[in-house]
Amino acid sequence: MRLEARRPTRDAGQRGSALLIVVFFAAVMIISAGVAMPNLLTQGQREREEEMIWRGKQYARAVKLFYRKNGRFPQSMDELSKPQLNVRFLRRAYEDPMNKEDGSWRLIYVGANGQLIGSTTRPNMLMNIPQRPGGGAGGPAGAVGSTGATGSTGATGAGSSAGPGQAVPGTLGSGPIIGGNIIGVGSKVAKSSIKVYNGAQIYRDWEFLWDPTQDAIQQGQPGVGGPQPGTPAGQPPGPGVRRP
């Protein structure tokens, strides 16, 4: 009779121990998930940053190929992404992976005197534009940005205000310039980045444009040569790189 009276107490103790073990393992899993979640989010952001850099460089490369082929700068994104005479300079119109609103880029133009328009990091920089055969920089009617690229279009510099993760309002990229000569793209997103790109830690300061002078230096040329109309545009991206 005494043994039977003690059994319920022993069973209750075993159930209590099992419950404590379950609670302990549940707490460990919750803590582990809490530690791993930020790492997963950070890794995802790093991957989007790498993809953003790759896409931005594709636009800069497409501008270079377009200029060498046509002797002028593109005046719309469609001229880069849509086939023209069986030539495509960009595989497709890539979106900014960091711009969650609409995926659009901020367009950067070059003026008649080589001044960048719409750049937040180099607003006063003058580009050394290759000369077209017969004189004059590349662009419609022998001039870069002859139809409005040098007008006051509300381009803002690095001081533009926007909330975290939001596009910078009022920038040049919010609307295309009719007749403007596109030399590159930049991000609209005013959010801090994990990666430092060209000294910039905010996405809106990440810019991807074709610099003819730097391109000539990388190729080991003493100066910037003129465009070569009729030059094949190439097949981006290079071998071994697969992109959608």
Side-chain angles (χ1 to χ4, degrees):
M1 295 296 293
R2 292 181 181 178
L3 293 177
E4 292 178 356
R6 292 178 181 177
R7 281 180 185 176
T9 303
R10 183 180 301 176
D11 293 342
Q14 292 178 349
R15 288 195 298 269
S17 299
L19 180 60
L20 288 176
I21 294 175
V22 171
V23 171
F24 172 77
F25 280 107
V28 170
M29 292 179 63
I30 293 174
I31 294 173
S32 300
V35 173
M37 184 60 65
N39 294 334
L40 292 176
L41 295 176
T42 300
Q43 181 61 28
Q45 185 175 352
R46 290 183 184 275
E47 292 177 355
R48 291 195 302 273
E49 289 181 352
E50 292 296 332
E51 182 68 14
M52 176 183 176
I53 293 173
W54 184 88
R55 294 182 181 186
K57 288 183 176 180
Q58 291 303 303
Y59 276 104
R61 182 176 186 271
V63 169
K64 176 180 68 175
L65 296 177
F66 184 94
Y67 190 93
R68 290 180 175 178
K69 176 72 175 179
N70 300 286
R72 66 176 180 85
F73 287 99
Q75 298 181 1
S76 70
M77 302 297 275
D78 288 343
E79 287 191 303
L80 297 177
S81 59
K82 293 185 178 180
Q84 299 181 15
L85 300 177
N86 297 324
V87 177
R88 186 194 299 268
F89 302 94
L90 193 66
R91 177 171 293 185
R92 64 181 178 87
Y94 296 105
E95 295 184 349
D96 179 357
M98 307 309 300
N99 188 348
K100 298 180 180 180
E101 293 184 3
D102 56 9
S104 63
W105 298 86
R106 170 172 51 87
L107 301 183
I108 303 173
Y109 297 85
V110 59
N113 60 348
Q115 182 179 4
L116 292 180
I117 302 173
S119 173
T120 62
T121 59
R122 293 171 281 185
N124 299 320
M125 180 178 178
L126 296 178
M127 302 293 292
N128 187 6
I129 305 300
Q131 298 296 309
R132 298 182 62 181
V144 176
S146 59
T147 55
T150 57
S152 58
T153 57
T156 57
S160 302
S161 60
Q166 296 180 353
V168 181
T171 57
L172 201 66
S174 60
I177 293 180
I178 304 302
N181 293 272
I182 301 172
I183 196 171
V185 298
S187 181
K188 298 179 180 180
V189 179
K191 179 182 178 182
S192 299
S193 62
I194 298 176
K195 183 181 180 67
V196 178
Y197 182 75
N198 287 342
Q201 295 180 291
I202 299 178
Y203 293 126
R204 71 181 177 194
D205 292 335
W206 287 25
E207 298 181 344
F208 312 91
L209 52 86
W210 174 46
D211 186 344
T213 305
Q214 187 65 29
D215 189 54
I217 294 175
Q218 292 177 355
Q219 294 178 3
Q221 299 175 356
V224 179
Q228 301 176 1
T231 303
Q235 299 292 334
V241 179
R242 293 185 177 181
R243 293 283 176 172

